[in-house]
Amino acid sequence: MMKGRLSACAFLLVLWAAPIPAQGRQAKVTIIYDDKASEINAANEEAGHLWITTVDLKRATGFELKPQGVCRDELCFPVPSVRQEGFVRKRSGKTWFNLVAFANLVQQPIAQDEGLRTWYFGLRSDQREGLSSLKAPDFMLPDMSGRLHSLSDFRGKKVLLVTWASW
Amino acid sequence: MPGWQAIYERLKDHNFEIASVAQDTNGGKDAGPWITAAHPTYTALIGEKHLVSKLYNMVNVPTGVWIDEHGKIVRPNEVAFVDDRFKNFSGLDSAPYLNALADWAEKGNQSIYAMSEERLREKLTVNNPDIALAAAEFGLGEHLYKSGHLTEAIPHFKEAQRLNPKSWNYKRQAYALSDAMRDYGTTFMDEVEKAGGSKAYYPPPDLSPAGSPRDKKP
């Protein structure tokens, strides 16, 4: 039964793929990563996965593919070697990366708006677990004049961190 | 905000700082007039993506956290009124909280209001997958709203509210961006009543002494 389904899919894929060989369907998507929005002109949305080129990966997320894994500065996440093809593939002279597989690997929540092709990637588990060490999570935010301040600027002082809202 | 300025003036010579962060999707446009009017000399920041609430798992405003000289949390999220402007609604007197804050500013972690690690861990909200996903849905809603897609944002705000029903921020901020009755079939006051009134909305801070001998390491 499984085999029947697979071959039917394969048949459909052949029909579909015919006008755009080897690339599947490419679409313009918006990715929000670390609360920064980037437009990606050519992404592949396939079966709940999101493939983007490694050039777009760097631009949208700051992460790069390195021999030791997916890295940004000192932060590196090794890609499981047995599941390599679920993360990285080469097509039409470009290297493509599956951002959904990576999000699952680092336990990053994803919210998606299918109609507007917008993908929001939330905090990774390493960013969320900081709190349980009782170390106050650091952040950098602007004041009214646009000057940036970090919580860590106040190291050496006692700080009352307090939120409010106009609403 | 005038309340924070007053307490800051009183305590700043004790190596003490206040960092206030506005949780406003429209950022300085909505929060700015309040800040400008208060002439703060403490650090008044704008968090239009609700980053601090997200990182600290905060569910309401005003929420305060105490952070010591080493960047360590010594009191977790709690309702932090420093004046009595909302007393009629909240039923909370700000004096006990202000006294506790002054005690900590003067004595540092020797203050009976600075909590032991053990007690802190009991009170800390653990960031489970639902809370993390709720934050992502809310963030997506904010992005869609800001790019002119309020109608498309609403289902994501609703999903955030469903996944993290304890968050008042997700309700109130979303209601403030549209017509709550039309888009959510409810109002803020109806929701407060449903939750059990203002005591549930603003649970009083636990100001029982945190430094009992059982609690504090010698």
Side-chain angles (χ1 to χ4, degrees):
Chain A
M1 195 179 155
M2 195 64 193
K3 204 173 172 195
R5 263 184 63 198
L6 273 178
S7 47
C9 284
F11 175 66
L12 279 176
L13 271 178
V14 168
L15 281 183
W16 245 13
I20 327 161
Q23 286 188 359
R25 270 200 318 164
Q26 287 197 353
K28 193 174 168 175
V29 303
T30 305
I31 291 175
I32 301 141
Y33 209 94
D34 291 327
D35 277 329
K36 186 190 96 182
S38 308
E39 302 294 328
I40 307 291
N41 283 321
N44 279 331
E45 290 176 304
E46 281 177 23
H49 288 270
L50 179 66
W51 293 86
I52 59 174
T53 66
T54 47
V55 176
D56 286 331
L57 175 71
K58 174 91 195 324
R59 187 167 60 85
T61 72
F63 280 102
E64 287 175 277
L65 274 185
K66 289 191 170 167
Q68 61 271 41
V70 188
C71 305
R72 185 170 71 188
D73 305 322
E74 304 94 75
L75 194 65
C76 253
F77 298 96
V79 174
S81 55
V82 282
R83 293 191 281 137
Q84 193 85 26
E85 70 278 10
F87 289 84
V88 185
R89 67 189 185 192
K90 288 204 191 311
R91 288 207 178 161
S92 47
K94 288 174 186 155
T95 307
W96 298 77
F97 185 75
N98 184 348
L99 208 50
V100 170
F102 181 59
N104 293 338
L105 180 74
V106 298
Q107 292 173 47
Q108 188 176 32
I110 303 171
Q112 187 193 358
D113 192 275
E114 286 183 32
L116 292 168
R117 295 187 187 281
T118 303
W119 298 69
Y120 184 101
F121 293 84
L123 295 177
R124 297 182 308 270
S125 60
D126 61 294
Q127 293 168 304
R128 301 198 308 266
E129 278 156 12
L131 206 54
S132 54
S133 69
L134 301 179
K135 203 175 154 254
D138 200 15
F139 55 84
M140 193 192 273
L141 288 170
D143 62 21
M144 273 304 281
S145 67
R147 206 181 127 214
L148 290 169
H149 302 257
S150 294
L151 179 67
S152 51
D153 295 347
F154 304 124
R155 199 58 46 83
K157 285 188 169 192
K158 284 157 286 207
V159 181
L160 167 64
L161 172 65
V162 62
T163 57
W164 68 285
S166 67
W167 31 262
Chain B
M1 302 210 60
W4 292 326
Q5 183 60 31
I7 188 75
Y8 180 65
E9 288 295 336
R10 207 178 118 198
L11 301 178
K12 67 178 181 188
D13 294 335
H14 294 289
N15 205 24
F16 172 79
E17 181 64 40
I18 295 180
S20 78
V21 189
Q23 307 295 288
D24 270 287
T25 300
N26 287 322
K29 197 173 115 227
D30 286 351
W34 298 82
I35 298 176
T36 313
H39 300 290
T41 56
Y42 59 87
T43 307
L45 306 175
I46 315 273
E48 61 178 40
K49 284 162 185 167
H50 296 233
L51 177 63
V52 170
S53 294
K54 193 156 71 174
L55 288 172
Y56 288 78
N57 287 330
M58 293 173 176
V59 295
N60 205 348
V61 289
T63 296
V65 177
W66 296 5
I67 298 161
D68 75 5
E69 296 88 335
H70 310 287
K72 210 144 190 227
I73 295 171
V74 292
R75 279 189 78 86
N77 298 350
E78 63 193 345
V79 176
F81 280 115
V82 294
D83 59 39
D84 292 332
R85 279 178 308 150
F86 297 105
K87 196 176 166 180
N88 281 344
F89 174 68
S90 71
L92 287 178
D93 185 358
S94 62
Y97 184 75
L98 283 174
N99 290 340
L101 195 61
D103 192 73
W104 177 58
E106 283 160 28
K107 299 175 191 158
N109 290 350
Q110 294 307 309
S111 163
I112 55 167
Y113 301 108
M115 288 186 184
S116 68
E117 287 200 7
E118 190 189 3
R119 184 126 178 247
L120 276 167
R121 281 184 205 285
E122 277 168 25
K123 289 182 176 282
L124 220 57
T125 312
V126 181
N127 195 331
N128 64 35
D130 274 353
I131 292 179
L133 185 56
E137 290 287 351
F138 187 79
L140 177 59
E142 282 193 299
H143 171 84
L144 297 178
Y145 162 77
K146 285 192 137 180
S147 47
H149 297 286
L150 172 64
T151 310
E152 290 84 352
I154 288 167
H156 298 288
F157 285 141
K158 284 184 178 167
E159 186 62 0
Q161 293 159 4
R162 187 188 69 80
L163 287 163
N164 188 356
K166 284 190 177 159
S167 172
W168 288 102
N169 292 338
Y170 293 162
K171 294 190 176 88
R172 290 201 72 186
Q173 176 69 83
Y175 299 171
L177 301 176
S178 70
D179 180 325
M181 199 39 115
R182 182 196 67 202
D183 294 332
Y184 299 91
T186 186
T187 64
F188 165 55
M189 287 314 289
D190 285 349
E191 290 299 303
V192 171
E193 205 163 304
K194 244 192 276 173
S198 60
K199 277 222 162 59
Y201 182 72
Y202 285 132
D206 172 10
L207 294 171
S208 59
S212 63
R214 172 187 74 73
D215 224 20
K216 214 152 201 173
K217 289 191 189 80

